[in-house]
Amino acid sequence: MNIQTHCLETWGDLACFSRPEMKVERYSYPIITPSAARGIFDAIYFKKDYNFYWQIDRIEMLHPPKYIALRRNEVKDKASTSEIQKWINGTKDITPLWADGTSAELGTDQKGRTQRQTMALKNVHYRIYAHIVSRDNKADMNALNAQFERRASQGKCFYQPFFGCREFPAYFELLKSTTKIPPFDIDLDLGWMLYDVFDLNQVNDSQAKPAISVFRAQLKSGVLNVPDYYSPLVHKLEGVAHVE
């Protein structure tokens, strides 16, 4: 199998990679998580029919982590993809998402908006290395790699990549030059970090159930080395695929 590693340089004004143990307020990890990094590659090139996923190999921090406190109004409920499709097809009346209203007016306290504090990152800048992994080993890897490079080099994407939250856009550039600025020299023990929220062994759609995985993250000299998804270093929920 032809394994070709691709490198993206990504940057943006704001980012938030929420720690899952913070249930009420959002508090970001100091560096992008593998799942958020995979999302950037997916935004540029991903096709469900090709049955592959992006394996993040290495993340380099180019700017020191700097936090900024934000307070945002967020709606408590959201419309499902299936419900939106029914609105489009005209089989169901459009139901608004309420931004204001008391439980007496709406009949529940699960609607309306709520203020949430966010400890986000500002002026983030990373280099991310990843390669394509075929789930069935039937994919034409040369074609997939060439298609990704063509799209990334032209700045094409299926949707705007983002850093954790969709309102925090991520900008990218495909790197091929060997001349690169060194990572910011910093060592951090990040503890248990979220690896991914889905089972990468299977194709996930909008109806997929969460399958949380974590790993012990160590940032050394500004570099976060990410183990393979099937590595025993990645701890998964019971029943999720695991290869010793």
Side-chain angles (χ1 to χ4, degrees):
M1 182 182 296
N2 179 21
I3 298 179
Q4 181 177 346
T5 300
H6 303 280
C7 179
L8 287 179
E9 186 164 336
T10 64
W11 64 92
D13 296 328
L14 294 169
C16 184
F17 314 110
S18 299
R19 302 187 69 102
E21 64 267 29
M22 303 296 184
K23 296 182 180 298
V24 178
E25 310 297 348
R26 300 186 188 276
Y27 198 100
S28 178
Y29 288 105
I31 190 172
I32 187 172
T33 61
S35 60
R38 182 174 63 82
I40 294 175
F41 279 83
D42 279 347
I44 298 170
Y45 183 65
F46 175 77
K47 290 189 177 181
K48 187 169 76 171
D49 294 341
Y50 288 175
N51 199 22
F52 73 85
Y53 68 89
W54 285 100
Q55 172 63 59
I56 304 301
D57 301 314
R58 172 186 172 106
I59 300 170
E60 296 177 354
M61 178 187 288
L62 304 183
H63 282 180
K66 295 182 179 179
Y67 283 90
I68 181 172
L70 304 173
R71 180 167 293 181
R72 303 183 299 164
N73 289 324
E74 301 182 13
V75 291
K76 295 181 181 179
D77 60 336
K78 63 180 181 179
S80 65
T81 303
S82 59
E83 187 174 13
I84 293 174
Q85 191 61 49
K86 292 177 182 178
W87 297 349
I88 296 174
N89 297 335
T91 58
K92 185 177 180 180
D93 293 336
I94 296 177
T95 304
L97 294 180
W98 291 93
D100 281 307
T102 64
S103 58
E105 295 170 325
L106 304 179
T108 176
D109 59 359
Q110 299 303 310
K111 294 185 178 182
R113 62 179 175 176
T114 183
Q115 283 194 338
R116 295 184 68 176
Q117 181 75 13
T118 298
M119 287 298 293
L121 299 171
K122 63 179 181 179
N123 300 327
V124 295
H125 197 174
Y126 307 112
R127 256 194 318 261
I128 306 172
Y129 298 80
H131 68 273
I132 294 174
V133 176
S134 174
R135 295 187 179 91
D136 54 16
N137 297 323
K138 296 179 181 179
D140 184 343
M141 301 301 293
N142 289 327
L144 296 182
N145 287 317
Q147 290 174 35
F148 169 77
E149 288 193 345
R150 183 172 63 252
R151 290 181 59 83
S153 63
Q154 297 174 358
K156 292 183 177 180
C157 50
F158 293 113
Y159 54 86
Q160 175 64 53
F162 53 91
F163 285 129
C165 299
R166 289 189 180 274
E167 58 266 43
F168 301 156
Y171 308 101
F172 65 88
E173 179 184 0
L174 179 66
L175 291 185
K176 292 187 177 181
S177 172
T178 57
T179 303
K180 304 171 184 176
I181 62 173
F184 180 74
D185 190 9
I186 184 174
D187 294 335
L188 291 174
D189 184 350
L190 304 176
W192 292 106
M193 173 178 275
L194 179 68
Y195 190 96
D196 214 289
V197 294
F198 295 109
D199 181 2
L200 298 184
N201 186 51
Q202 58 186 354
V203 178
N204 295 282
D205 55 22
S206 58
Q207 305 300 320
K209 295 182 179 180
I212 303 297
S213 52
V214 298
F215 75 111
R216 189 65 183 264
Q218 299 280 342
L219 188 66
K220 297 182 178 180
S221 299
V223 176
L224 177 64
N225 288 306
V226 181
D228 291 343
Y229 180 66
Y230 295 111
S231 168
L233 298 176
V234 179
H235 297 260
K236 308 175 183 65
L237 291 174
E238 184 178 354
V240 175
H242 185 92
V243 177
E244 297 291 348

